[in-house]
Amino acid sequence: MLRAEGVTKEFQHKRGIVHVLKDASFSIESGEYVSVVGASGSGKSTLLLMLGGMLSPTAGRVLLDGESLYELGSGGRTGVRREKIGFVFQTFNLIPYLTALENVQVPLMLSGTRMQRQNEIASDLLNRVGLSDRLEHKPSELSVGQQQRVALARMLANDPAVILADEPTGNLDPETGRQILQFLGEVNAQGRTVVVVTHDAEAATDAQRKLRLENGSVVPG
Amino acid sequence: MRLGTLVRRELLERRTQVATSFLAILLGIAVIVSVKNITFYSEKAVAREMDALGANVLVLPKSVTVQDYYSADMQEAEIPEEYVTRLVMSDLEGLDNLSPKLSVPVSLGGRTFTLTGILPKQEFQAKAMWAGAGIFSRPQGCGTVPGAPGADDTPPQESLVRRRVIDDLGPAESLVGADVAALLGVEAGSELVVLDRTLSVIAVLPRTGTVDDSRIFAHLHTVQDMTGRGAVINAIEIVGCCLEISQGLVEKVNRLLPEAQVLTVAQIVDTQIRMNEIMSRFSALIVAVIAIVGGVSIANYMFANVYERRREIGTLMALGAGRSAVMGVFLLKALLLGLVGGVGGYVLGTGLAVLLGPKLARIPVLPMPSLALWALGISVGISLVGSYFPAMRATRLDPSDALREV
């Protein structure tokens, strides 16, 4: 279970303090598919980074499976991200000089998986997203839709229990976006928790539950 | 995939930037290697030239001064020949060309000449063998360049004049100075009767303008026998290696021969030491400047690389890369750059030294394999030190900052 308890996030700027989140509390059950919606700049991505152990809250706690992420220390959070969380980004964040296969192998390499097993898992995942004929292609040689599919394959490399997707269809045409959402639905059906930040109304409807960010507060959508 | 694959791919992806940085290391190491290589052979050449000036360490009886020795060369005071054996048997480093001498005045054709007994090199080898130790097991040759052209091709006459040693000299053989030959009308192959003993002249020494021109050199044991003075000598002339002299060789010889006095010919030794100091300081200065410039250049490149790759670093952290993995990405890259730059720099530097050494320093320069490890050590060291702080910065990047724009 993923849980936020009184999470507050403030950013210090030259012109003063910006309050992004104010005392936000909510829970996401294991296996749930939740969409987080809100206006641009409402703090959706910030919230997702905090849920993924990438950005510490100014106040409050974020718990994954009962473990408070920001009381773990840097090394502990790295371990949690490696083993339990899969990220998907709007701009895919593929490493440009690695092939599709190698990009999917990165999380496996970081978790110490042996070379042969890395190859098997990465090939299998790319096959699953329909890119078995693009294993040796670099991101620049792939369409944007194909790049996002490589990112989806990479997301699943370490078999994470929680998927955090930030505007996964934001850069895609409607048809490709549909395919990506369908894929996220499939991985949720396998029992993984999926949290999707989106401003795409259609993307949000795929979720079982909607959370809305309004004036720094999280309210049911 | 391994971390090395990621590093290698990134290096190949940014070839132009890497090439600039690699070139900085390569040229830096090449300059260091070529300077070191040329300096090494320059030092040897200087040492060889200094060697031509003669012995720089003298072992004399306690009652004799250097002035006495150089003005008369035939003082009555003696030291036992056994001192030579002690020196040969010792493990002292830096003793080169030991030359024990016994000089006595002799009258020939109404003129007085100096009969000087010397011990050929072959006798030293015999002494060492008797004791089961080898004189040549001790490092030798501070005044020579091993393997360098022109180092060991000195003819016997020249070697006696320059280095005070001769390889072989029979009991009834002699070498005569230029004045002796001219005044007595002898030449190589002639016979000379000295103190009722007939000596064959095997060579006439080239003119030196010194007292040696009026000397007759014969085997030490023959002269001892002819004069009836027993196993004694007047002096031992030594070409001591200046490095060892600066490290206390004279004191060590003094401890070994407490009954004698051991002196250095200060001017010669000082010049040798000063020349070597200048060369090693110059070399150290070059190394220091290049190390700093190279380190700053690498650091500059790495800082730019970290900035350029902050999004990638953020992604790696999101995928589970810890600080050590991020650090590893940059330090492994530095290691690769250092290794390749070190090997390339050694090859280029050695080539430059061998090609340019004879033209710039007028000395033959040979490749020095020992510099390869040196080059690699410096290259990798500069690269790692220069990359450490940029790598530390990468590990401290806030991944959320790198990904915020997503």
Side-chain angles (χ1 to χ4, degrees), chain B residues 321-338:
Chain B
R323 286 186 171 175
S324 58
V326 174
M327 187 89 168
V329 167
F330 289 94
L331 290 189
L332 193 57
K333 179 174 173 170
L335 182 71
L336 277 177
L337 274 175

Side-chain angles (χ1 to χ4, degrees), chain B residues 104-401:
Chain B
V104 291
V106 289
S107 286
L108 289 171
R111 291 173 183 273
T112 301
F113 298 103
T114 305
L115 174 63
T116 300
I118 54 172
L119 204 56
K121 253 186 176 177
Q122 198 185 42
E123 299 277 337
F124 287 108
Q125 289 170 345
K127 277 180 192 289
M129 280 193 294
W130 295 334
I135 183 173
F136 297 107
S137 66
R138 247 189 3 228
Q140 285 222 330
C142 57
T144 60
V145 185
D152 286 318
D153 51 1
T154 327
Q157 299 96 316
E158 195 74 6
S159 111
L160 181 60
V161 172
R162 283 164 57 95
R163 302 216 295 263
R164 320 298 291 162
V165 291
I166 186 164
D167 286 335
D168 198 7
L169 188 64
E173 291 176 341
S174 68
L175 295 105
V176 297
D179 285 348
V180 179
L183 294 169
L184 299 180
V186 295
E187 55 185 22
S190 304
E191 289 197 334
L192 202 59
V193 179
V194 186
L195 298 177
D196 302 328
R197 182 80 64 98
T198 304
L199 301 173
S200 64
V201 177
I202 59 165
V204 176
L205 300 175
R207 183 172 295 282
T208 61
T210 67
V211 69
D212 287 352
D213 291 343
S214 57
R215 278 188 203 274
I216 300 160
F217 289 96
H219 194 292
L220 175 66
H221 296 158
T222 303
V223 175
Q224 287 169 344
D225 194 32
M226 286 158 74
T227 57
R229 290 171 75 170
V232 294
I233 49 179
N234 295 131
I236 305 170
E237 292 180 349
I238 303 169
V239 175
C241 298
C242 55
L243 175 67
E244 279 77 8
I245 290 177
S246 70
Q247 290 170 350
L249 177 66
V250 171
E251 289 73 19
K252 287 174 193 165
V253 177
N254 247 327
R255 277 201 293 275
L256 192 68
L257 307 173
E259 306 87 349
Q261 61 171 328
V262 185
L263 305 164
T264 54
V265 181
Q267 256 183 329
I268 296 175
V269 170
D270 286 351
T271 309
Q272 283 181 317
I273 291 172
R274 210 166 48 246
M275 278 305 290
N276 286 355
E277 276 177 359
I278 289 169
M279 285 181 173
S280 65
R281 278 181 194 163
F282 172 69
S283 173
L285 183 73
I286 295 265
V287 171
V289 168
I290 286 173
I292 291 168
V293 172
V296 169
S297 165
I298 288 284
N300 186 40
Y301 163 69
M302 282 294 188
F303 273 122
N305 192 239
V306 167
Y307 182 78
E308 194 180 356
R309 295 172 70 187
R310 61 197 191 286
R311 187 183 176 82
E312 181 190 323
I313 296 163
T315 304
L316 285 174
M317 285 175 163
L319 296 176
R323 286 186 171 175
S324 58
V326 174
M327 187 89 168
V329 167
F330 289 94
L331 290 189
L332 193 57
K333 179 174 173 170
L335 182 71
L336 277 177
L337 274 175
L339 284 175
V340 179
V343 171
Y346 169 73
V347 171
L348 182 64
T350 299
L352 285 174
V354 171
L355 282 176
L356 298 180
K359 288 176 186 161
L360 296 179
R362 298 182 190 286
I363 49 161
V365 175
L366 299 176
M368 291 173 66
S370 61
L371 281 181
L373 278 179
W374 215 83
L376 272 180
I378 291 194
S379 176
V380 170
I382 290 172
S383 200
L384 287 179
V385 170
S387 303
Y388 179 75
F389 292 102
M392 280 300 290
R393 177 179 279 190
T395 65
R396 288 176 184 155
L397 271 183
D398 185 344
S400 63
D401 279 344

Side-chain angles (χ1 to χ4, degrees), chain A:
Chain A
M1 187 170 71
L2 197 53
R3 184 173 172 77
E5 289 180 352
V7 171
T8 297
K9 185 65 189 176
E10 297 167 354
F11 289 107
Q12 183 80 45
H13 283 281
K14 285 178 188 170
R15 294 181 185 173
I17 295 172
V18 176
H19 301 274
V20 180
L21 282 172
K22 295 173 196 165
D23 197 23
S25 297
F26 59 90
S27 292
I28 296 169
E29 296 300 324
S30 296
E32 211 177 349
Y33 188 158
V34 174
S35 66
V36 179
V37 295
S40 185
S42 59
K44 302 187 295 291
S45 295
T46 300
L47 176 64
L48 201 74
L49 288 171
M50 285 198 287
L51 291 178
M54 298 275 283
L55 179 65
S56 56
T58 309
R61 299 199 304 167
V62 175
L63 298 103
L64 178 59
D65 296 336
E67 209 168 27
S68 177
L69 291 183
Y70 297 96
E71 287 167 35
L72 280 177
S74 169
R77 281 198 299 282
T78 298
V80 168
R81 282 200 297 271
R82 195 161 51 218
E83 289 157 21
K84 294 186 176 176
I85 299 172
F87 278 97
V88 188
F89 308 100
Q90 182 178 353
T91 49
F92 328 130
N93 287 19
L94 297 177
I95 297 177
Y97 49 83
L98 297 180
T99 62
L101 187 73
E102 288 167 342
N103 263 290
V104 180
Q105 286 177 327
V106 169
L108 296 162
M109 172 194 76
L110 293 171
S111 63
T113 307
R114 292 167 64 129
M115 280 283 283
Q116 195 184 342
R117 189 76 189 120
Q118 281 184 30
N119 272 323
E120 288 167 6
I121 295 172
S123 304
D124 184 48
L125 286 169
L126 285 167
N127 187 35
R128 216 169 124 190
V129 295
L131 292 174
S132 56
D133 56 344
R134 295 283 189 273
L135 301 185
E136 299 303 324
H137 288 229
K138 287 186 179 174
S140 59
E141 297 162 346
L142 299 171
S143 69
V144 285
Q146 287 170 328
Q147 288 180 40
Q148 188 60 304
R149 277 144 71 190
V150 174
L152 290 175
R154 183 180 66 182
M155 164 195 89
L156 291 177
N158 275 334
D159 195 18
V162 178
I163 303 294
L164 301 176
D166 194 350
E167 303 279 10
T169 58
N171 277 352
L172 305 176
D173 62 80
E175 174 56 29
T176 312
R178 194 64 250 153
Q179 289 172 5
I180 299 300
L181 290 173
Q182 194 180 342
F183 188 81
L184 287 173
E186 284 172 22
V187 298
N188 172 246
Q190 290 164 353
R192 298 176 216 271
T193 308
V194 177
V195 181
V196 177
V197 161
T198 184
H199 61 264
D200 176 353
E202 193 191 342
T205 55
D206 280 22
Q208 295 156 0
R209 187 153 66 96
K210 203 186 287 182
L211 294 174
R212 181 175 295 280
L213 267 171
E214 277 180 1
N215 301 321
S217 298
V218 178
V219 295

Side-chain angles (χ1 to χ4, degrees), chain B residues 68-131:
Chain B
D68 291 339
Y69 177 74
Y70 276 117
S71 59
D73 192 9
M74 288 175 289
Q75 76 282 347
E76 287 298 311
E78 299 162 344
I79 51 177
E81 189 193 335
E82 183 260 339
Y83 285 8
V84 179
T85 314
R86 277 200 227 170
L87 287 170
V88 169
M89 298 303 302
S90 75
D91 56 358
L92 290 181
E93 291 184 9
L95 290 179
D96 210 5
N97 296 343
L98 274 75
S99 176
K101 287 166 63 179
L102 174 64
S103 294
V104 291
V106 289
S107 286
L108 289 171
R111 291 173 183 273
T112 301
F113 298 103
T114 305
L115 174 63
T116 300
I118 54 172
L119 204 56
K121 253 186 176 177
Q122 198 185 42
E123 299 277 337
F124 287 108
Q125 289 170 345
K127 277 180 192 289
M129 280 193 294
W130 295 334

